[in-house]
Amino acid sequence: QVQLVESGGGLVEAGGSLRLSCAASGRTFSPYAMAWFRQAPGKERELVAGINWSDPAMTYYADSVKGRFTISRDDTKNTLYLQMNSLKPEDTAVYYCKADQWGRSYWGQGTQVTVSS
């Protein structure tokens, strides 16, 4: 069993930065991969960035965020991060973290990111 809690969302001006965190807890936590998704009102949930937990150099970024966002993890804290720079209004969404472990997917509750223009 894995529980994920996102934090760090908020209101920021266009061009600003935020760092999202996703803290994992549970008896065991050894994910294969973790990822950040986002969903804006009226839009489909989309994959923003992913990371291989054991080899964090293996990352994926959506074209829309490439060069602006950085996904990372701290395995000593069981925490996933998303550093978001040069934020744009179109980045406004609820951001969710996901962990894949032993054939199951776990989701956090989401954190709201709002970028003003």
Side-chain angles (χ1 to χ4, degrees), residues 57-83:
M58 298 177 61
T59 58
Y60 166 84
Y61 296 95
D63 288 342
S64 60
V65 307
K66 197 170 297 182
R68 300 188 296 121
F69 291 11
T70 303
I71 189 170
S72 62
R73 60 88 166 128
D74 184 344
D75 60 351
T76 70
K77 299 179 179 179
N78 291 340
T79 300
L80 178 74
Y81 302 99
L82 185 67
Q83 179 67 46

Side-chain angles (χ1 to χ4, degrees), residues 3 11 19 29 42 48 79 82:
Q3 297 83 42
L11 175 64
R19 188 178 75 157
F29 186 69
V48 176
T79 300
L82 185 67

Side-chain angles (χ1 to χ4, degrees), residues 2 4 24 28-35 51-55 73 75 78-80 98-104 106:
V2 174
L4 304 174
T28 62
F29 186 69
S30 58
Y32 175 77
M34 293 192 72
I51 190 168
N52 183 286
W53 193 259
S54 62
D55 185 2
R73 60 88 166 128
D75 60 351
N78 291 340
T79 300
L80 178 74
K98 181 171 80 83
D100 295 322
Q101 177 175 289
W102 305 113
R104 297 187 63 183
Y106 302 87

Side-chain angles (χ1 to χ4, degrees), residues 81-92:
Y81 302 99
L82 185 67
Q83 179 67 46
M84 305 186 295
N85 298 326
S86 302
L87 283 161
K88 304 174 180 179
E90 52 262 45
D91 296 319
T92 295

